[in-house]
Amino acid sequence: MPHGSREGGWLPDLVYTGDKFEAGLAFFADSTGRITRFSREPADLATARRLAGQAALPGLVNAHSHALGRLARGETETGRLNPALPPAAILAKLGAEDVFDTARLVFLEMMMSGVTCVGEFHALHHGAESAGAEKDFGREVVRAAHEVGIRIALLRVAILREQPPSKAALPPGVLSASAEQFTRETEALRLAIERDFPADEAWLGVAPDSLATVPPEAFKVIGNYARAQRLRLHTHVASSAEDVAAGVAEHGRTPLALLAELGLVDKRFTAVDARHLTDDEIRSLGTARAAICLTPGLPAAVTALSTAGAGVAAGTDSHAPASPLVVARTAGFEDATAAWRSATVAGARSLGATGGALEVGRPADFFTVSLSDPALAGVEPPALPAVLLATLDRRMIRDVWVGARQRIAAGRHLAQGQITGRFIGLQDRLRGRTPQPAATLDAAS
Ligand SMILES: [Zn+2]
């Protein structure tokens, strides 16, 4: 939308709204970036910005990301490492700028994949010593999202004890001494983010990592804090059969049953992974209007969860792949539109975000694909949701808009060369090599 005008509009060949593609339909947003109306009036079609040969779709919502896991790319893809965090030896070397550079690269790749909103599960809060909210590394992650232009729910991770058997000691910036310390630091960061960023662009949620690393009493303290501040609460639950068995052995009930008993399962709760749920657990998630978040790998009970009334969001976890749609693709949904809803509006609901669908009142967060792409050429509009679900790839994505503001044009982000150059320099340094001059990288990218 041009600056200074009250309203801006777009007219792609096709727009995905109400679970289907419509032709001859323009949509408009006001100066705050919210969609105000759809129109088929000739005068409106004539004034809207024409996106010829393109289809517009709601921006994807990645409900579960571990950006720092990107530092171990190559290790996670080959299955040698846990994807959530790089090795402690790398984490211990990271400063605020390094966290910023890594998150910025991850959010760039995500946005080029059509993602306009992310839930970032951030666990490294500071370096060797804590220095308060202004130096909290979570702030760097939010700043990185702001620079790229992606909306972010910063899900601040609590880890109070190491998960046995632990391979290496976690650095001090990951472990919290107590639930009280964690909530105190979280509240300071929440206020700093609220002060410095628009409320629908960056907001805070809490994420006790799992019952294995946060004991029930501490979980309850953090949950009470989240409820008092109306924050989203995300946690890894039932990630594997062993997880469930360990929970039963320690607490005499499954992890999710224990969390429900503690009063933590409500409409602001998301169970991440949630691969091993009983029928009772699925029912209780549905009754509570809670959500689960799919992660790459095994399918979950997506149809039973949706039928019960639970949200089913999707997240990339370690960024192999970078798109939640790719995660939803293999999750076992019965039809393509359900998978699309998982990667868009269900993610928005899980994160408490405003986007996720092209509808009046929601922000104009969308991406476009070229309909002349070899994968899409000649496909009829009713078949497009299924074809795009099966084939959508970063290289098919042309433009990305967030809050009616263009961030990616013809597949490129304005700051792409600088962002990738900085990250390559960081990886060189972590690997003990002499970084190449950034100017060379910029020219080559
Ligand atoms: Zn995770």
Side-chain angles (χ1 to χ4, degrees):
M1 182 168 55
H3 268 291
S5 72
R6 285 206 332 273
E7 189 187 58
W10 302 267
L11 175 60
D13 285 14
L14 296 169
V15 53
Y16 191 64
T17 178
D19 290 337
K20 58 183 187 300
F21 281 99
E22 302 266 6
L25 186 65
F27 58 104
F28 292 83
D30 63 15
S31 60
T32 69
R34 298 229 163 206
I35 297 174
T36 49
R37 62 198 180 96
F38 287 81
S39 175
R40 295 186 187 279
E41 293 297 320
D44 285 332
L45 300 188
T47 56
R49 176 178 169 148
R50 185 78 178 99
L51 304 173
Q54 296 176 60
L57 295 103
L60 302 176
V61 179
N62 183 0
H64 188 72
S65 155
H66 294 271
L68 295 185
R70 179 63 175 79
L71 289 164
R73 179 166 282 187
E75 301 293 327
T76 50
E77 286 75 0
T78 47
R80 284 198 291 268
L81 273 182
N82 175 323
L85 280 173
I90 292 181
L91 284 179
K93 285 185 199 165
L94 299 179
E97 277 298 302
D98 305 330
V99 171
F100 173 78
D101 285 338
T102 305
R104 208 167 52 143
L105 180 91
V106 169
F107 298 152
L108 170 74
E109 187 187 353
M110 233 186 256
M111 183 178 265
M112 292 171 80
S113 308
V115 176
T116 54
C117 179
V118 60
E120 175 60 35
F121 229 70
H122 184 70
L124 184 67
H125 307 310
H126 53 79
E129 276 175 34
S130 176
E134 302 305 317
K135 296 279 170 62
D136 191 302
F137 286 181
R139 199 184 153 76
E140 299 299 316
V141 175
V142 170
R143 206 162 64 78
H146 177 77
E147 275 232 353
V148 171
I150 199 167
R151 297 182 200 276
I152 183 168
L154 185 81
L155 303 168
R156 196 167 189 269
V157 174
I159 298 180
L160 269 66
R161 62 180 185 189
E162 310 225 6
Q163 185 166 11
S166 185
K167 288 177 205 86
L170 291 167
V174 171
L175 281 172
S176 295
S178 65
E180 289 73 19
Q181 186 210 333
F182 173 80
T183 54
R184 197 168 53 243
E185 290 179 1
T186 301
E187 178 61 6
L189 181 62
R190 187 186 73 78
L191 292 171
I193 290 173
E194 192 177 84
R195 184 192 65 210
D196 295 343
F197 299 92
D200 64 349
E201 187 184 306
W203 60 100
L204 199 118
V206 292
D209 191 52
S210 72
L211 268 169
T213 55
V214 180
E217 324 77 69
F219 225 110
K220 177 95 185 154
V221 171
I222 295 168
N224 286 343
Y225 163 73
R227 176 166 308 135
Q229 295 296 342
R230 302 175 155 262
L231 306 178
R232 289 303 195 268
L233 192 149
H234 285 219
T235 186
H236 296 109
V237 181
S239 306
S240 66
E242 297 79 59
D243 267 12
V244 177
V248 171
E250 189 175 353
H251 309 294
R253 65 217 84 180
T254 66
L256 191 60
L258 177 57
L259 294 178
E261 262 181 52
L262 294 172
L264 301 174
V265 178
D266 60 16
K267 64 180 182 185
R268 295 194 187 86
F269 175 83
T270 295
V272 179
D273 294 335
R275 295 203 173 107
H276 297 268
L277 300 177
T278 65
D279 291 346
D280 279 350
E281 289 174 328
I282 289 172
R283 265 194 298 279
S284 85
L285 284 167
T287 308
R289 291 285 182 267
I292 71 132
C293 182
L294 303 164
T295 49
L298 299 171
V302 292
T303 305
L305 283 157
S306 303
T307 307
V312 180
T316 58
D317 224 355
S318 70
H319 307 292
S323 164
L325 191 71
V326 175
V327 177
R329 184 181 284 166
T330 53
F333 285 102
E334 278 175 352
D335 61 74
T337 54
W340 273 100
R341 281 197 297 271
S342 174
T344 53
V345 72
R349 178 178 142 190
S350 160
L351 296 176
T354 48
L358 292 177
E359 290 171 2
V360 169
R362 293 195 190 251
D365 294 359
F366 64 97
F367 69 92
T368 68
V369 293
S370 168
L371 289 165
S372 59
D373 186 277
L376 306 179
V379 175
E380 294 282 11
L384 261 183
V387 173
L388 278 166
L389 176 65
T391 61
L392 186 70
D393 174 272
R394 170 153 70 74
R395 281 150 290 225
M396 289 156 71
I397 291 171
R398 241 190 90 76
D399 298 345
V400 180
W401 299 69
V402 184
R405 185 165 168 197
Q406 188 163 16
R407 295 297 187 165
I408 307 260
R412 276 193 74 85
H413 190 282
L414 210 58
Q416 192 169 327
Q418 198 237 353
I419 293 172
T420 51
R422 288 277 304 190
F423 183 74
I424 293 168
L426 167 63
Q427 283 288 41
D428 281 341
R429 207 193 76 220
L430 292 173
R431 289 165 181 155
R433 293 190 206 123
T434 314
Q436 297 179 52
T440 318
L441 290 161
D442 274 352
S445 65

